[in-house]
Amino acid sequence: MREGRCVNANGCCCWFTSLCLHSADNFTVCMETITAVAWGPLSIWTVVAFLHNKPYRFVLQLIVSLGQLYGDVLYFFTEYREGFQHGEFGHPVHFWFYFVFMNSLWVVVPGVLIGDAWRHLTRAQLVTDGRTPEAKPNKSKTK
């Protein structure tokens, strides 16, 4: 890990490890704090729940995935509203590869996991309600 100092827009120094969070960028500071304090431990709990086959594992998966998706949407929308001032708009590597493609993975993966959790939780609710999921007819049976 790289450690050092940076000077933010207000001329104040801040210490960083791998990433400098400027105090002038309140959104980034707030989202990264939430990620470190809440989503990190919640993600570890989710992995442990899956490893031990806990009944609440899909609820955790849904919560973590929705939180990740929400943060990503806020990140993209905030950057859009600020006019993409943190990079060269349209640049083939910095904009299209790093900003659009690499960050889109953090939208696609939670989206898939949300759908997976939805299917599992729906099936569990059907069983709890005394209804079984619709079974596909078996065409091999003859009368």
Side-chain angles (χ1 to χ4, degrees), residues 1 3-4 10 16 22 29 33 36 38 43 52 56-57 62 70 78-80 84 91 97-98 124 132 136 141-142:
M1 293 177 95
E3 292 187 9
N10 299 326
F16 67 92
H22 296 276
V29 172
T33 300
S43 296
H52 295 277
Y56 51 82
R57 62 191 182 274
L62 183 63
Y70 179 70
T78 301
E79 192 62 27
Y80 167 76
F84 302 103
H91 188 277
F97 181 72
Y98 289 126
T132 57
K136 294 180 181 176
K141 290 185 176 179
T142 59

Side-chain angles (χ1 to χ4, degrees), residues 1-137:
M1 293 177 95
R2 186 173 62 114
E3 292 187 9
R5 271 185 348 155
C6 66
V7 179
N8 67 19
N10 299 326
C12 300
C13 293
C14 64
W15 288 96
F16 67 92
T17 303
S18 300
L19 175 68
C20 182
L21 296 175
H22 296 276
S23 61
D25 187 0
N26 287 326
F27 172 76
T28 302
V29 172
C30 292
M31 286 307 293
E32 290 303 321
T33 300
I34 291 168
T35 299
V37 172
W39 298 124
L42 197 57
S43 296
I44 292 170
W45 186 20
T46 304
V47 169
V48 171
F50 270 90
L51 291 174
H52 295 277
N53 209 27
K54 297 292 185 183
Y56 51 82
R57 62 191 182 274
F58 290 104
V59 174
L60 292 175
Q61 176 180 316
L62 183 63
I63 293 169
V64 170
S65 297
L66 282 170
Q68 181 65 44
L69 185 62
Y70 179 70
D72 295 330
V73 169
L74 286 178
Y75 173 70
F76 278 119
F77 194 60
T78 301
E79 192 62 27
Y80 167 76
R81 299 249 319 149
E82 292 178 349
F84 302 103
Q85 66 181 357
H86 295 102
E88 185 181 340
F89 180 75
H91 188 277
V93 174
H94 296 123
F95 181 79
W96 290 108
F97 181 72
Y98 289 126
F99 179 72
V100 175
F101 175 72
M102 295 301 285
N103 285 304
S104 293
L105 296 175
W106 293 104
V107 173
V108 172
V109 172
V112 169
L113 293 174
I114 289 168
D116 180 57
W118 181 283
R119 282 186 298 279
H120 281 90
L121 293 171
T122 300
R123 181 162 289 159
Q125 188 63 50
L126 285 171
V127 170
T128 301
D129 291 347
R131 298 180 289 160
T132 57
E134 294 288 328
K136 294 180 181 176

